[in-house]
Amino acid sequence: MTGPLSLMTLNVNGMRDSRKRSRIFQFCRTLGVDFVFIQETHITNEDDVHTWSFQWGGGLHASFGSTTSCGSVILVSPRWTPLVGKVDSDHEGRLVCITIRHPSGKFFLCNVYAPNRPSDRRDFFMTLSSFVPGSAPCILAGDFNCVPDTQLDRMFIRTSSGCSVGMSELDTFIKNHDMVDVWRAQHPGLSVFTWHRPDGTDASRLGLHQSLLDNIDKTPSKEQNGGLGSPLTVDELWKAVAKMKGGKAPGSDGIPVEFYKRF
């Protein structure tokens, strides 16, 4: 199997509701990603796995939580499902790791949902090594509930928030496994947030991608790196709209692409 590997991470705040779950799965299928790391699904047992994987149409591997909290899931696209090997998970619904037996060598994918409570988060990061191999290529992604850089990754810092508690332990784990924060490596000085308080008083980059990819060149050129941080041009926007299929909405307002093409 050749071509780039694509993945995404989502905290869905529960998806036991069948209609919500169906929309999430449809959204992921529309994007065409290979692996989806989902946190706070509230998945609880093997019956859920059977039902949800049938609805998804591919592989689904989980760490069970309760009907109101936790529950971490990795969705696997149909083309990658046959390559899934060993699956490991914790008993708290916070960590699930799968082995991919790729023709060029195996690698690991781990979905993380770290605790909100600072002391629990610190303990959680200290146990990661027991699940993540130290030698094989690995991608670690999810909701880490803390920020690597309080200046770049947090807005309106509150001194009592404990937003950086656990980062020391996570940094140790990252260094021991020769990992790198992929997004930060590609966007050294950019502030983008994955979580926003509804009243607009706080925001953080809690969703992280750490990876160790031996023998795979994932570093963009200087020209590419500069382009990634550049504002979109009107010409680029129109080209993107022109390529969209009919009946699709480019924004969250639900206005179909036909409207933009016509007006």
Side-chain angles (χ1 to χ4, degrees), residues 138-141 144 170 174 179-182 208-212:
C138 178
I139 298 175
L140 183 73
F144 289 70
L170 181 58
I174 291 170
M179 288 182 162
V180 62
D181 184 343
V182 176
L208 308 180
H209 296 78
Q210 306 287 346
S211 69
L212 166 60

Side-chain angles (χ1 to χ4, degrees), residues 62-81:
S63 173
F64 301 135
S66 72
T67 57
T68 58
S69 68
C70 297
S72 298
V73 162
I74 297 179
L75 301 180
V76 184
S77 66
R79 76 185 189 109
W80 283 90
T81 297

Side-chain angles (χ1 to χ4, degrees), residues 91-102:
H91 300 289
E92 305 294 331
R94 295 192 175 277
L95 181 67
V96 56
C97 301
I98 63 175
T99 304
I100 302 298
R101 298 170 299 192
H102 194 271

